[in-house]
């Protein structure tokens, strides 16, 4: 469907349908640009993919944005029809030029994130389960101080993953604690959770989709 300049659509099963029929599933949310960010005329593309938590078989997908939505849904519709998995999405080679895509297409990005959750390399927390899923956890915002000041989750602590002293800041945290980490879209928080795991933290979770998903779910955002 097209609403003025925005496009939205879906393919396969929805989350509501999977819950209704008690089908096990897992979901990932990514928010890349519709095409290469340095080429004019793009904006954020929102892509949610549902898949089997054991085999990785793709069960459904929804997307909204301004450019490239139909292209990604076509790829995912064919993948579902063929019984493909999120592991396959990692390897897809799709048409590329800066006006039309990125070197790592949003389809590849979904494959990377989803496959990493099955492999156990990435543990996610979800905006729709907030705040219950953060009880007893320390919420860490790994964006820049300026981004944090402009708006952050109430109670979150700012530890900038791109700061040269990120490792030193981690050293002040209890490695046995539980941490719910987030950033703008999930990319920097994935970097942070990787580094935290390598540093010996054992209970670290990355927010699927980033702070925008939390805002959409009604989380309280404060400024400082």
């Amino acid at each position: 469907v097209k609403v003025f300049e925005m496009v939205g659509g879906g393919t396969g099963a929805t989350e509501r349908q999977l819950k209704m029929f008690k089908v096990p599933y897992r979901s990932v949310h990514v928010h890349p640009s519709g095409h290469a960010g340095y080429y004019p005329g793009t904006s954020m593309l929102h892509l949610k993919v549902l898949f089997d938590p054991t085999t990785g078989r793709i069960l459904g997908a929804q997307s909204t944005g301004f450019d490239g939505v139909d292209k990604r849904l076509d790829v995912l519709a064919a993948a579902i029809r063929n019984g493909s998995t999120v592991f396959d999405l990692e390897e897809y080679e799709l048409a590329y030029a800066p006006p039309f895509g990125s070197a790592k297409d949003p389809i590849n990005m979904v494959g990377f994130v989803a496959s990493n959750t099955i492999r156990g390399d990435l543990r996610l927390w979800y905006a729709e389960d907030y705040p219950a899923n953060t009880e007893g956890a320390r919420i860490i915002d790994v964006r820049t101080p300026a981004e944090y000041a402009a708006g952050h989750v109430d109670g979150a602590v700012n530890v900038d993953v791109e700061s040269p002293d990120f490792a030193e800041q981690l050293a002040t945290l209890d490695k046995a604690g539980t941490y719910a980490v987030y950033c703008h879209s999930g990319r920097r928080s994935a970097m942070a959770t990787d580094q935290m795991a390598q540093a010996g933290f054992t209970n670290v979770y990355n927010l699927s989709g980033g702070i925008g998903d939390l805002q959409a779910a009604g989380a309280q955002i404060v400024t400082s």
Side-chain angles (χ1 to χ4, degrees), residues 30 35 74 82 84 107 115 128 175 184 186 200 215 224:
V30 298
H35 61 252
D74 279 344
N82 289 332
S84 300
I107 293 294
S115 298
E128 58 265 31
K175 292 183 179 180
H184 176 68
Q215 288 179 292
S224 61

Side-chain angles (χ1 to χ4, degrees), residues 1 8-14 60-63 69 73 77 80:
V1 62
T11 183
T14 66
Q62 296 89 46
S63 182
V69 171
L73 289 176
I80 291 171

Side-chain angles (χ1 to χ4, degrees), residues 53-69:
T54 302
T55 66
R57 185 169 65 90
I58 304 161
L59 303 173
Q62 296 89 46
S63 182
T64 61
F66 291 88
D67 62 306
V69 171

Side-chain angles (χ1 to χ4, degrees), residues 157-183:
V157 176
N158 186 212
V159 185
D160 181 4
V161 68
E162 296 180 328
S163 170
D165 63 350
F166 180 66
E168 286 76 8
Q169 294 183 67
L170 288 185
T172 67
L173 303 176
D174 178 12
K175 292 183 179 180
T178 300
Y179 297 91
V181 184
Y182 75 88
C183 68

